[in-house]
Amino acid sequence: MQLRPTRLDGLVALEPAVHGDERGFFVETYRHEWHEALGIPAQERFVQDNHSRSSRGVVRGMHFQIGDGVAKLVRCARGVIVDFAVDLRAGSPTYGQWEGVELDGESMRELFVPVGFAHGFCVLSETADVLYKQTAYYDPAVERGIAWDDPDVGIEWPLPVEELIVSDRDAEAPRLSAIADELPFRWHS
């Protein structure tokens, strides 16, 4: 497992060793001790696994959870996505900034998205299977989002806007500036 640098403090990109031959491949996608050594806090305990399948151009996000928040460890098992995170932590030097990391079924690269970040992705391949672990159970009462196309955040989506497919929920999400005072997240240096 190797660490890939990111611009946003707390956001961790990991690249596991993929052992392949003519029969296929084997990869360890999660080992607590390795992930802890590479920057995923030891107190993070994953309690739920999720799997989504999406077609080319689908944008899912930008989602986050209030209350105690939810951290996620994301990977793309089939296809190619660009996974995005936006820093929502008040006082952070990178507040409101985003980072995108390409995840795919070949490299098996992973992205750890800590509490205090909005998360989403865009599918580049015809189909993509995205799997992610999270540190709390799904609870619709704490689900929130910010606008995927918020001009103040300025995410540079990897496909032309007219090719993007966005759910009604995501299309109606507020801009970050409209909810900034309501966010419970604080940056700790």
Side-chain angles (χ1 to χ4, degrees), residues 19-46:
H19 307 281
D21 60 24
E22 66 281 350
R23 300 169 299 148
F25 69 86
F26 174 81
V27 62
E28 285 186 67
T29 60
Y30 180 75
R31 184 182 280 210
H32 182 80
E33 63 200 22
W34 291 351
H35 285 75
E36 183 181 358
L38 291 172
I40 295 177
Q43 70 272 18
E44 299 297 0
R45 186 173 78 91
F46 297 108

Side-chain angles (χ1 to χ4, degrees), residues 145-158:
I146 60 171
W148 66 277
D149 59 350
D150 185 333
D152 296 331
V153 175
I155 294 174
E156 295 174 14
W157 296 98

Side-chain angles (χ1 to χ4, degrees), residues 103-116:
L103 306 180
D104 63 76
E106 294 295 315
S107 71
M108 294 291 180
R109 188 174 302 117
E110 303 173 353
L111 186 64
F112 174 71
V113 182
V115 170

Side-chain angles (χ1 to χ4, degrees), residues 9-141:
D9 179 46
L11 193 66
V12 180
L14 304 164
E15 201 133 339
V18 179
H19 307 281
D21 60 24
E22 66 281 350
R23 300 169 299 148
F25 69 86
F26 174 81
V27 62
E28 285 186 67
T29 60
Y30 180 75
R31 184 182 280 210
H32 182 80
E33 63 200 22
W34 291 351
H35 285 75
E36 183 181 358
L38 291 172
I40 295 177
Q43 70 272 18
E44 299 297 0
R45 186 173 78 91
F46 297 108
V47 298
Q48 181 175 321
D49 278 354
N50 302 306
H51 182 159
S52 74
R53 178 170 291 154
S54 304
S55 58
R56 179 178 170 79
V58 167
V59 168
R60 295 189 187 268
M62 300 298 296
H63 305 148
F64 63 94
Q65 294 72 30
I66 59 169
D68 292 335
V70 176
K72 298 172 182 154
L73 181 62
V74 185
R75 68 186 181 94
C76 182
R78 177 174 72 162
V80 182
I81 66 169
V82 178
D83 206 51
F84 292 96
V86 175
D87 189 347
L88 304 178
R89 302 167 299 169
S92 169
T94 56
Y95 174 81
Q97 294 181 28
W98 63 273
E99 180 148 2
V101 176
E102 187 172 291
L103 306 180
D104 63 76
E106 294 295 315
S107 71
M108 294 291 180
R109 188 174 302 117
E110 303 173 353
L111 186 64
F112 174 71
V113 182
V115 170
F117 285 75
H119 171 258
F121 62 85
C122 179
V123 179
L124 302 182
S125 53
E126 289 307 309
T127 303
D129 283 347
V130 177
L131 298 106
Y132 59 98
K133 297 180 173 306
Q134 59 184 52
T135 58
Y137 297 110
Y138 172 76
D139 178 358

